[in-house]
Amino acid sequence: MSSAGLSRVPSAVEAALLGREVQGTVDVSVLVPAKDEAENLPLFMELTESAFAGSPVRFEVIVIDDGSVDATWSVLAELAQRYPFLRPVRHRARRGIAEALRTGYLHSRGRVLVFYPADLQFKPEDIPRLVAPVLAGESDMVTGYKQGKYEKAFVSNIYNGLSRRLFHVPVRDLNSVKAYRREVMDQLPVRPDWHRYMIVIAASEGFTVSEIPVPLYPRHAGRSKFGIGRIPVGVLDMLSVWFELRFGKKPLLLFGMTGAALFLLGFLVGIVAIAIRVFAGVGFRPLLNLVETCVIVGSVLLVGGLLGEQIAGQRAEVRELRRELDALRGGDGSPPRGG
């Protein structure tokens, strides 16, 4: 992954922090995207330490500063010296949650990953409950089902209802905290905001999905980064994900079938037009226009479908190369896995 726009702990403390990184495997990596969360992070770390106190689970917390303009990065530098399990990573410009999770994944070592926001609307005390089914091998992915009142409940219910009908996923809340096997990230396209459909994509790839109730609390500090303007974007993303899952690997199924149907319609209309001309001696120009339209549009769709097939093939190759590159990098810059 390119290092442009991405940095680690400031040079003043970098050597000390990188030198003490835990050797060996980690059971759980908590990935925490943070945008202007300087006021929330100290309590978040304190609660996370308490949540795992006395637990045999080996864990780490990867906080991704996603282009914050407040004191988030300097706060992380101080906290990293106090908490050995904390590993800060930085985006110098905002890239969004999906890419922050991707960055966190590449810097993590856990066999189970957890997506947890830094705003403390979800308390870290629920992380052990969230990861337990995945660690036990009972589920590949566990999502939290929000309990309690929150501002966007109406919009969230519509979003979740449409998603269940469109994708037939066996959970009630797609946009919540999640714990999942590391392999799930290999199937997730790097697209803005597609982290919301991680469950949908994982289920479509055959991973088992379950949910547990998690309480939702008011924000500890700061304000929400998402407003009502996200609704149309969310709807378009939903349609995009549906198209990707339905036709992304075989676009010719949609464009080719539609183009062939239009060609057939144009052929039949042409036969009718010829019959009317020959037997009735009447030329009916609207039929000719319909034939032309069907043939032209059908040709465009067929060509588009064939080009889509080529692009789908290239995407499959790029995805495989990305997986191999991630394996060679060891996810966090460690020596390559295997030979």
Side-chain angles (χ1 to χ4, degrees):
M1 183 178 65
S2 174
S3 60
L6 175 66
S7 67
R8 297 298 302 275
V9 182
S11 57
V13 295
E14 185 178 47
L17 294 180
L18 296 182
R20 69 168 190 206
E21 287 181 354
V22 179
Q23 300 299 317
T25 60
V26 174
D27 297 315
V28 175
S29 294
V30 183
L31 311 183
V32 185
K35 174 71 170 70
D36 298 332
E37 300 287 2
E39 296 179 76
N40 291 318
L41 287 169
L43 181 57
F44 186 96
M45 294 304 145
E46 180 182 335
L47 293 177
T48 302
E49 184 178 50
S50 298
F52 285 96
S55 171
V57 174
R58 295 162 295 182
F59 75 101
E60 64 181 357
V61 177
I62 314 292
V63 178
I64 306 93
D65 177 3
D66 191 32
S68 297
V69 294
D70 66 354
T72 293
W73 187 235
S74 59
V75 168
L76 282 172
E78 296 175 3
L79 292 173
Q81 298 179 73
R82 189 187 316 168
Y83 297 102
F85 56 81
L86 173 59
R87 304 178 65 201
V89 184
R90 187 183 192 187
H91 291 166
R92 294 192 178 275
R94 186 176 184 179
R95 299 186 188 178
I97 293 178
E99 193 159 345
L101 290 175
R102 179 73 182 170
T103 297
Y105 157 69
L106 292 175
H107 286 81
S108 67
R109 294 160 295 180
R111 58 190 179 96
V112 176
L113 307 179
V114 180
F115 164 43
Y116 231 73
D119 56 17
L120 292 174
Q121 286 194 280
F122 299 96
K123 294 297 178 62
E125 64 191 34
D126 292 309
I127 296 177
R129 289 198 305 116
L130 201 66
V131 302
V134 186
L135 289 173
E138 299 169 359
S139 183
D140 296 322
M141 189 172 196
V142 179
T143 182
Y145 176 54
K146 292 190 283 288
Q147 304 288 297
K149 296 181 179 180
Y150 53 104
E151 294 179 1
K152 302 183 181 69
F154 178 73
V155 174
S156 180
N157 289 336
I158 294 177
Y159 160 78
N160 283 305
L162 288 174
S163 296
R164 285 195 300 271
R165 289 181 179 273
L166 200 59
F167 302 114
H168 308 290
V169 288
V171 296
R172 290 167 288 182
D173 196 345
L174 274 70
N175 192 23
S176 182
V177 290
K178 304 171 183 69
Y180 44 95
R181 289 175 52 195
R182 190 177 188 88
E183 293 79 2
V184 171
M185 285 299 294
D186 293 333
Q187 308 300 329
L188 188 66
V190 184
R191 298 282 299 276
D193 296 324
W194 275 33
H195 65 283
R196 301 174 185 272
Y197 299 95
M198 190 184 300
I199 295 172
V200 171
I201 296 171
S204 71
E205 294 292 338
F207 291 101
T208 57
V209 179
S210 59
E211 65 179 351
I212 64 171
V214 291
L216 185 70
Y217 303 89
R219 284 184 62 95
H220 173 70
R223 58 186 180 85
S224 174
K225 313 300 186 299
F226 304 99
I228 195 170
R230 300 296 302 175
I231 295 177
V233 175
V235 172
L236 293 177
D237 282 340
M238 185 182 300
L239 294 176
S240 180
V241 172
W242 176 82
F243 180 87
E244 169 70 21
L245 297 180
R246 192 76 179 268
F247 302 109
K249 295 179 180 178
K250 295 293 294 181
L252 195 59
L253 287 177
L254 174 63
F255 296 107
M257 294 296 291
T258 305
L262 287 173
F263 258 109
L264 179 59
L265 178 60
F267 176 78
L268 295 176
V269 172
I271 295 296
V272 172
I274 293 174
I276 292 176
R277 181 69 177 177
V278 171
F279 296 107
V282 178
F284 193 52
R285 182 161 294 277
L287 288 180
L288 178 60
N289 292 337
L290 181 58
V291 171
E292 292 172 344
T293 301
C294 289
V295 170
I296 292 173
V297 175
S299 299
V300 171
L301 288 174
L302 279 174
V303 171
L306 292 172
L307 290 175
E309 286 289 314
Q310 299 300 313
I311 294 172
Q314 294 295 321
R315 289 177 63 196
E317 293 181 12
V318 169
R319 186 178 292 112
E320 184 60 32
L321 287 173
R322 191 184 77 183
R323 292 174 186 168
E324 294 180 6
L325 183 59
D326 288 347
L328 288 173
R329 286 175 171 171
D332 62 348
S334 59
R337 303 169 187 168

